[in-house]
mmCIF file of all heavy atoms in Angstrom:
data_model
loop_
_atom_site.group_PDB
_atom_site.id
_atom_site.type_symbol
_atom_site.label_atom_id
_atom_site.label_comp_id
_atom_site.label_asym_id
_atom_site.label_seq_id
_atom_site.Cartn_x
_atom_site.Cartn_y
_atom_site.Cartn_z
ATOM 1 N N ASP A 286 -65.908 -15.674 -7.313
ATOM 2 C CA ASP A 286 -64.754 -14.828 -7.620
ATOM 3 C C ASP A 286 -65.002 -13.390 -7.171
ATOM 4 O O ASP A 286 -64.141 -12.768 -6.544
ATOM 5 C CB ASP A 286 -64.448 -14.889 -9.118
ATOM 6 C CG ASP A 286 -63.234 -14.062 -9.490
ATOM 7 O OD1 ASP A 286 -62.130 -14.355 -8.999
ATOM 8 O OD2 ASP A 286 -63.401 -13.115 -10.283
ATOM 9 N N HIS A 287 -66.187 -12.884 -7.466
ATOM 10 C CA HIS A 287 -66.539 -11.516 -7.060
ATOM 11 C C HIS A 287 -66.518 -11.399 -5.528
ATOM 12 O O HIS A 287 -65.980 -10.430 -4.980
ATOM 13 C CB HIS A 287 -67.915 -11.132 -7.600
ATOM 14 C CG HIS A 287 -68.390 -9.815 -7.092
ATOM 15 N ND1 HIS A 287 -67.867 -8.611 -7.532
ATOM 16 C CD2 HIS A 287 -69.314 -9.505 -6.148
ATOM 17 C CE1 HIS A 287 -68.456 -7.622 -6.875
ATOM 18 N NE2 HIS A 287 -69.338 -8.138 -6.045
ATOM 19 N N ALA A 288 -67.090 -12.375 -4.842
ATOM 20 C CA ALA A 288 -67.123 -12.342 -3.379
ATOM 21 C C ALA A 288 -65.712 -12.423 -2.782
ATOM 22 O O ALA A 288 -65.406 -11.738 -1.799
ATOM 23 C CB ALA A 288 -67.992 -13.489 -2.847
ATOM 24 N N LEU A 289 -64.841 -13.233 -3.380
ATOM 25 C CA LEU A 289 -63.449 -13.320 -2.912
ATOM 26 C C LEU A 289 -62.748 -11.971 -3.040
ATOM 27 O O LEU A 289 -62.055 -11.520 -2.120
ATOM 28 C CB LEU A 289 -62.676 -14.385 -3.695
ATOM 29 C CG LEU A 289 -62.959 -15.833 -3.349
ATOM 30 C CD1 LEU A 289 -62.384 -16.759 -4.407
ATOM 31 C CD2 LEU A 289 -62.396 -16.172 -1.971
ATOM 32 N N HIS A 290 -62.925 -11.316 -4.180
ATOM 33 C CA HIS A 290 -62.304 -10.015 -4.396
ATOM 34 C C HIS A 290 -62.877 -8.957 -3.446
ATOM 35 O O HIS A 290 -62.127 -8.132 -2.909
ATOM 36 C CB HIS A 290 -62.448 -9.567 -5.857
ATOM 37 C CG HIS A 290 -61.550 -10.301 -6.789
ATOM 38 N ND1 HIS A 290 -60.204 -10.066 -6.880
ATOM 39 C CD2 HIS A 290 -61.804 -11.294 -7.668
ATOM 40 C CE1 HIS A 290 -59.668 -10.872 -7.763
ATOM 41 N NE2 HIS A 290 -60.623 -11.641 -8.257
ATOM 42 N N ALA A 291 -64.185 -8.984 -3.238
ATOM 43 C CA ALA A 291 -64.819 -8.009 -2.344
ATOM 44 C C ALA A 291 -64.323 -8.194 -0.916
ATOM 45 O O ALA A 291 -63.985 -7.217 -0.234
ATOM 46 C CB ALA A 291 -66.339 -8.143 -2.404
ATOM 47 N N ARG A 292 -64.244 -9.438 -0.435
ATOM 48 C CA ARG A 292 -63.762 -9.682 0.931
ATOM 49 C C ARG A 292 -62.291 -9.320 1.044
ATOM 50 O O ARG A 292 -61.857 -8.742 2.027
ATOM 51 C CB ARG A 292 -64.002 -11.137 1.319
ATOM 52 C CG ARG A 292 -63.490 -11.527 2.711
ATOM 53 C CD ARG A 292 -64.096 -10.735 3.884
ATOM 54 N NE ARG A 292 -65.505 -10.934 4.040
ATOM 55 C CZ ARG A 292 -66.063 -11.770 4.920
ATOM 56 N NH1 ARG A 292 -65.318 -12.482 5.731
ATOM 57 N NH2 ARG A 292 -67.372 -11.878 4.980
ATOM 58 N N SER A 293 -61.518 -9.628 0.013
ATOM 59 C CA SER A 293 -60.098 -9.300 0.013
ATOM 60 C C SER A 293 -59.886 -7.795 0.129
ATOM 61 O O SER A 293 -59.043 -7.323 0.897
ATOM 62 C CB SER A 293 -59.435 -9.840 -1.256
ATOM 63 O OG SER A 293 -58.055 -9.557 -1.261
ATOM 64 N N LYS A 294 -60.665 -7.028 -0.640
ATOM 65 C CA LYS A 294 -60.566 -5.566 -0.601
ATOM 66 C C LYS A 294 -60.955 -5.033 0.781
ATOM 67 O O LYS A 294 -60.283 -4.160 1.338
ATOM 68 C CB LYS A 294 -61.477 -4.978 -1.680
ATOM 69 C CG LYS A 294 -61.313 -3.505 -1.904
ATOM 70 C CD LYS A 294 -62.165 -3.063 -3.088
ATOM 71 C CE LYS A 294 -62.022 -1.575 -3.324
ATOM 72 N NZ LYS A 294 -62.833 -1.143 -4.467
ATOM 73 N N ALA A 295 -62.018 -5.589 1.360
ATOM 74 C CA ALA A 295 -62.449 -5.178 2.703
ATOM 75 C C ALA A 295 -61.396 -5.557 3.747
ATOM 76 O O ALA A 295 -61.133 -4.787 4.675
ATOM 77 C CB ALA A 295 -63.797 -5.812 3.038
ATOM 78 N N MET A 296 -60.779 -6.718 3.589
ATOM 79 C CA MET A 296 -59.714 -7.143 4.506
ATOM 80 C C MET A 296 -58.540 -6.175 4.440
ATOM 81 O O MET A 296 -57.961 -5.826 5.471
ATOM 82 C CB MET A 296 -59.215 -8.549 4.138
ATOM 83 C CG MET A 296 -60.141 -9.670 4.512
ATOM 84 S SD MET A 296 -59.576 -11.270 3.845
ATOM 85 C CE MET A 296 -57.891 -11.359 4.457
ATOM 86 N N ALA A 297 -58.192 -5.755 3.231
ATOM 87 C CA ALA A 297 -57.063 -4.831 3.060
ATOM 88 C C ALA A 297 -57.331 -3.528 3.801
ATOM 89 O O ALA A 297 -56.430 -2.980 4.443
ATOM 90 C CB ALA A 297 -56.802 -4.573 1.586
ATOM 91 N N LYS A 298 -58.573 -3.041 3.711
ATOM 92 C CA LYS A 298 -58.918 -1.803 4.420
ATOM 93 C C LYS A 298 -58.876 -1.999 5.935
ATOM 94 O O LYS A 298 -58.429 -1.127 6.665
ATOM 95 C CB LYS A 298 -60.316 -1.324 4.018
ATOM 96 C CG LYS A 298 -60.373 -0.704 2.649
ATOM 97 C CD LYS A 298 -61.775 -0.209 2.337
ATOM 98 C CE LYS A 298 -61.836 0.380 0.937
ATOM 99 N NZ LYS A 298 -63.194 0.798 0.581
ATOM 100 N N LYS A 299 -59.355 -3.152 6.385
ATOM 101 C CA LYS A 299 -59.470 -3.401 7.825
ATOM 102 C C LYS A 299 -58.150 -3.833 8.465
ATOM 103 O O LYS A 299 -57.826 -3.404 9.567
ATOM 104 C CB LYS A 299 -60.545 -4.460 8.073
ATOM 105 C CG LYS A 299 -60.850 -4.710 9.531
ATOM 106 C CD LYS A 299 -62.036 -5.628 9.696
ATOM 107 C CE LYS A 299 -62.329 -5.787 11.182
ATOM 108 N NZ LYS A 299 -63.585 -6.489 11.413
ATOM 109 N N THR A 300 -57.398 -4.705 7.778
ATOM 110 C CA THR A 300 -56.205 -5.298 8.390
ATOM 111 C C THR A 300 -54.894 -4.945 7.710
ATOM 112 O O THR A 300 -53.833 -5.236 8.239
ATOM 113 C CB THR A 300 -56.320 -6.842 8.399
ATOM 114 O OG1 THR A 300 -56.262 -7.315 7.043
ATOM 115 C CG2 THR A 300 -57.600 -7.314 9.051
ATOM 116 N N GLY A 301 -54.970 -4.364 6.503
ATOM 117 C CA GLY A 301 -53.756 -4.067 5.753
ATOM 118 C C GLY A 301 -53.254 -5.238 4.933
ATOM 119 O O GLY A 301 -52.219 -5.150 4.288
ATOM 120 N N LEU A 302 -53.996 -6.356 4.952
ATOM 121 C CA LEU A 302 -53.610 -7.543 4.184
ATOM 122 C C LEU A 302 -54.749 -7.958 3.266
ATOM 123 O O LEU A 302 -55.901 -8.044 3.694
ATOM 124 C CB LEU A 302 -53.314 -8.721 5.122
ATOM 125 C CG LEU A 302 -52.053 -8.654 5.958
ATOM 126 C CD1 LEU A 302 -52.071 -9.728 7.032
ATOM 127 C CD2 LEU A 302 -50.829 -8.799 5.080
ATOM 128 N N THR A 303 -54.426 -8.244 2.011
ATOM 129 C CA THR A 303 -55.428 -8.790 1.095
ATOM 130 C C THR A 303 -55.585 -10.283 1.375
ATOM 131 O O THR A 303 -54.775 -10.886 2.093
ATOM 132 C CB THR A 303 -54.993 -8.605 -0.364
ATOM 133 O OG1 THR A 303 -53.797 -9.381 -0.579
ATOM 134 C CG2 THR A 303 -54.764 -7.142 -0.709
ATOM 135 N N GLY A 304 -56.588 -10.884 0.761
ATOM 136 C CA GLY A 304 -56.790 -12.322 0.911
ATOM 137 C C GLY A 304 -55.576 -13.133 0.482
ATOM 138 O O GLY A 304 -55.095 -13.991 1.243
ATOM 139 N N PRO A 305 -55.034 -12.891 -0.723
ATOM 140 C CA PRO A 305 -53.846 -13.647 -1.142
ATOM 141 C C PRO A 305 -52.627 -13.411 -0.234
ATOM 142 O O PRO A 305 -51.867 -14.342 0.051
ATOM 143 C CB PRO A 305 -53.577 -13.133 -2.558
ATOM 144 C CG PRO A 305 -54.909 -12.679 -3.048
ATOM 145 C CD PRO A 305 -55.593 -12.111 -1.836
ATOM 146 N N GLN A 306 -52.440 -12.182 0.246
ATOM 147 C CA GLN A 306 -51.324 -11.906 1.155
ATOM 148 C C GLN A 306 -51.498 -12.678 2.460
ATOM 149 O O GLN A 306 -50.556 -13.265 2.974
ATOM 150 C CB GLN A 306 -51.227 -10.411 1.446
ATOM 151 C CG GLN A 306 -50.756 -9.587 0.283
ATOM 152 C CD GLN A 306 -50.892 -8.100 0.530
ATOM 153 O OE1 GLN A 306 -51.595 -7.647 1.436
ATOM 154 N NE2 GLN A 306 -50.239 -7.309 -0.307
ATOM 155 N N ARG A 307 -52.714 -12.679 2.973
ATOM 156 C CA ARG A 307 -52.976 -13.380 4.229
ATOM 157 C C ARG A 307 -52.792 -14.887 4.062
ATOM 158 O O ARG A 307 -52.225 -15.548 4.932
ATOM 159 C CB ARG A 307 -54.381 -13.066 4.726
ATOM 160 C CG ARG A 307 -54.670 -13.760 6.032
ATOM 161 C CD ARG A 307 -55.871 -13.198 6.751
ATOM 162 N NE ARG A 307 -56.345 -14.150 7.712
ATOM 163 C CZ ARG A 307 -55.690 -14.536 8.792
ATOM 164 N NH1 ARG A 307 -54.518 -14.014 9.074
ATOM 165 N NH2 ARG A 307 -56.184 -15.434 9.605
ATOM 166 N N LEU A 308 -53.256 -15.439 2.940
ATOM 167 C CA LEU A 308 -53.074 -16.869 2.694
ATOM 168 C C LEU A 308 -51.586 -17.211 2.623
ATOM 169 O O LEU A 308 -51.138 -18.189 3.229
ATOM 170 C CB LEU A 308 -53.802 -17.285 1.419
ATOM 171 C CG LEU A 308 -53.736 -18.772 1.058
ATOM 172 C CD1 LEU A 308 -54.265 -19.650 2.184
ATOM 173 C CD2 LEU A 308 -54.523 -19.019 -0.229
ATOM 174 N N ALA A 309 -50.826 -16.402 1.914
ATOM 175 C CA ALA A 309 -49.376 -16.631 1.848
ATOM 176 C C ALA A 309 -48.760 -16.543 3.241
ATOM 177 O O ALA A 309 -47.924 -17.374 3.616
ATOM 178 C CB ALA A 309 -48.725 -15.620 0.905
ATOM 179 N N LEU A 310 -49.186 -15.566 4.019
ATOM 180 C CA LEU A 310 -48.682 -15.400 5.387
ATOM 181 C C LEU A 310 -48.994 -16.632 6.232
ATOM 182 O O LEU A 310 -48.135 -17.124 6.971
ATOM 183 C CB LEU A 310 -49.317 -14.146 6.002
ATOM 184 C CG LEU A 310 -48.653 -13.553 7.219
ATOM 185 C CD1 LEU A 310 -47.289 -12.975 6.871
ATOM 186 C CD2 LEU A 310 -49.541 -12.446 7.791
ATOM 187 N N ARG A 311 -50.216 -17.152 6.130
ATOM 188 C CA ARG A 311 -50.619 -18.344 6.885
ATOM 189 C C ARG A 311 -49.768 -19.553 6.499
ATOM 190 O O ARG A 311 -49.355 -20.330 7.351
ATOM 191 C CB ARG A 311 -52.095 -18.647 6.651
ATOM 192 C CG ARG A 311 -53.054 -17.612 7.196
ATOM 193 C CD ARG A 311 -53.303 -17.744 8.668
ATOM 194 N NE ARG A 311 -54.148 -18.906 8.911
ATOM 195 C CZ ARG A 311 -54.232 -19.518 10.063
ATOM 196 N NH1 ARG A 311 -53.552 -19.097 11.094
ATOM 197 N NH2 ARG A 311 -54.997 -20.575 10.226
ATOM 198 N N ILE A 312 -49.508 -19.709 5.203
ATOM 199 C CA ILE A 312 -48.722 -20.855 4.744
ATOM 200 C C ILE A 312 -47.269 -20.715 5.177
ATOM 201 O O ILE A 312 -46.655 -21.677 5.642
ATOM 202 C CB ILE A 312 -48.856 -21.037 3.222
ATOM 203 C CG1 ILE A 312 -50.306 -21.446 2.903
ATOM 204 C CG2 ILE A 312 -47.862 -22.068 2.695
ATOM 205 C CD1 ILE A 312 -50.660 -21.392 1.451
ATOM 206 N N ILE A 313 -46.713 -19.513 5.063
ATOM 207 C CA ILE A 313 -45.329 -19.288 5.510
ATOM 208 C C ILE A 313 -45.233 -19.571 7.013
ATOM 209 O O ILE A 313 -44.260 -20.151 7.477
ATOM 210 C CB ILE A 313 -44.859 -17.861 5.168
ATOM 211 C CG1 ILE A 313 -44.746 -17.711 3.648
ATOM 212 C CG2 ILE A 313 -43.538 -17.533 5.864
ATOM 213 C CD1 ILE A 313 -44.575 -16.278 3.173
ATOM 214 N N GLY A 314 -46.251 -19.190 7.768
ATOM 215 C CA GLY A 314 -46.268 -19.480 9.202
ATOM 216 C C GLY A 314 -46.327 -20.968 9.492
ATOM 217 O O GLY A 314 -45.756 -21.451 10.475
ATOM 218 N N SER A 315 -47.004 -21.708 8.645
ATOM 219 C CA SER A 315 -47.118 -23.158 8.824
ATOM 220 C C SER A 315 -45.872 -23.899 8.366
ATOM 221 O O SER A 315 -45.587 -24.999 8.838
ATOM 222 C CB SER A 315 -48.323 -23.695 8.041
ATOM 223 O OG SER A 315 -49.518 -23.163 8.549
ATOM 224 N N PHE A 316 -45.145 -23.308 7.410
ATOM 225 C CA PHE A 316 -43.938 -23.927 6.863
ATOM 226 C C PHE A 316 -42.784 -22.929 6.872
ATOM 227 O O PHE A 316 -42.409 -22.399 5.822
ATOM 228 C CB PHE A 316 -44.199 -24.418 5.425
ATOM 229 C CG PHE A 316 -45.310 -25.416 5.320
ATOM 230 C CD1 PHE A 316 -46.573 -25.023 4.897
ATOM 231 C CD2 PHE A 316 -45.101 -26.745 5.659
ATOM 232 C CE1 PHE A 316 -47.612 -25.936 4.797
ATOM 233 C CE2 PHE A 316 -46.140 -27.675 5.570
ATOM 234 C CZ PHE A 316 -47.394 -27.263 5.144
ATOM 235 N N PRO A 317 -42.235 -22.647 8.054
ATOM 236 C CA PRO A 317 -41.129 -21.673 8.126
ATOM 237 C C PRO A 317 -39.978 -22.072 7.194
ATOM 238 O O PRO A 317 -39.704 -23.252 7.014
ATOM 239 C CB PRO A 317 -40.693 -21.744 9.586
ATOM 240 C CG PRO A 317 -41.852 -22.326 10.319
ATOM 241 C CD PRO A 317 -42.554 -23.238 9.348
ATOM 242 N N ASN A 318 -39.353 -21.070 6.630
ATOM 243 C CA ASN A 318 -38.240 -21.242 5.697
ATOM 244 C C ASN A 318 -38.658 -21.968 4.420
ATOM 245 O O ASN A 318 -37.890 -22.726 3.847
ATOM 246 C CB ASN A 318 -37.050 -21.936 6.371
ATOM 247 C CG ASN A 318 -36.488 -21.073 7.470
ATOM 248 O OD1 ASN A 318 -36.291 -19.872 7.285
ATOM 249 N ND2 ASN A 318 -36.268 -21.667 8.639
ATOM 250 N N ILE A 319 -39.863 -21.665 3.961
ATOM 251 C CA ILE A 319 -40.353 -22.208 2.707
ATOM 252 C C ILE A 319 -39.784 -21.363 1.563
ATOM 253 O O ILE A 319 -39.613 -20.154 1.693
ATOM 254 C CB ILE A 319 -41.905 -22.217 2.681
ATOM 255 C CG1 ILE A 319 -42.437 -23.008 1.477
ATOM 256 C CG2 ILE A 319 -42.470 -20.798 2.727
ATOM 257 C CD1 ILE A 319 -43.946 -23.264 1.528
ATOM 258 N N SER A 320 -39.463 -22.019 0.455
ATOM 259 C CA SER A 320 -38.963 -21.281 -0.705
ATOM 260 C C SER A 320 -40.151 -20.742 -1.500
ATOM 261 O O SER A 320 -41.280 -21.214 -1.353
ATOM 262 C CB SER A 320 -38.123 -22.202 -1.598
ATOM 263 O OG SER A 320 -38.956 -23.144 -2.247
ATOM 264 N N SER A 321 -39.892 -19.774 -2.355
ATOM 265 C CA SER A 321 -40.972 -19.223 -3.175
ATOM 266 C C SER A 321 -41.511 -20.282 -4.134
ATOM 267 O O SER A 321 -42.711 -20.320 -4.413
ATOM 268 C CB SER A 321 -40.520 -17.980 -3.936
ATOM 269 O OG SER A 321 -39.433 -18.279 -4.768
ATOM 270 N N GLY A 322 -40.657 -21.152 -4.625
ATOM 271 C CA GLY A 322 -41.102 -22.232 -5.507
ATOM 272 C C GLY A 322 -42.045 -23.183 -4.794
ATOM 273 O O GLY A 322 -43.081 -23.582 -5.340
ATOM 274 N N GLU A 323 -41.677 -23.555 -3.570
ATOM 275 C CA GLU A 323 -42.556 -24.436 -2.788
ATOM 276 C C GLU A 323 -43.880 -23.743 -2.483
ATOM 277 O O GLU A 323 -44.951 -24.350 -2.585
ATOM 278 C CB GLU A 323 -41.867 -24.847 -1.479
ATOM 279 C CG GLU A 323 -40.668 -25.753 -1.673
ATOM 280 C CD GLU A 323 -39.791 -25.866 -0.434
ATOM 281 O OE1 GLU A 323 -39.702 -24.891 0.341
ATOM 282 O OE2 GLU A 323 -39.205 -26.943 -0.262
ATOM 283 N N LEU A 324 -43.809 -22.477 -2.119
ATOM 284 C CA LEU A 324 -45.013 -21.711 -1.813
ATOM 285 C C LEU A 324 -45.911 -21.596 -3.041
ATOM 286 O O LEU A 324 -47.132 -21.749 -2.944
ATOM 287 C CB LEU A 324 -44.644 -20.325 -1.279
ATOM 288 C CG LEU A 324 -45.780 -19.436 -0.815
ATOM 289 C CD1 LEU A 324 -46.604 -20.093 0.291
ATOM 290 C CD2 LEU A 324 -45.225 -18.094 -0.315
#
């Protein structure tokens, strides 16, 4: 959990996206027009 948070924080600084944001982005890209409930 600590490592996930640390990498997420570093990702946000480097790319502007946290780990959870990037995961959501990847899933939305894989399933275009997905609803929030499905996501």
Side-chain angles (χ1 to χ4, degrees):
D286 182 62
H287 174 74
L289 285 167
H290 286 285
R292 178 60 64 99
S293 181
K294 189 174 180 180
M296 285 172 54
K298 285 182 182 177
K299 185 173 183 171
T300 68
L302 289 168
T303 64
Q306 289 170 344
R307 181 164 161 66
L308 182 57
L310 198 67
R311 294 280 287 159
I312 293 168
I313 293 168
S315 296
F316 301 100
N318 296 314
I319 190 170
S320 71
S321 59
E323 292 165 329
L324 184 58

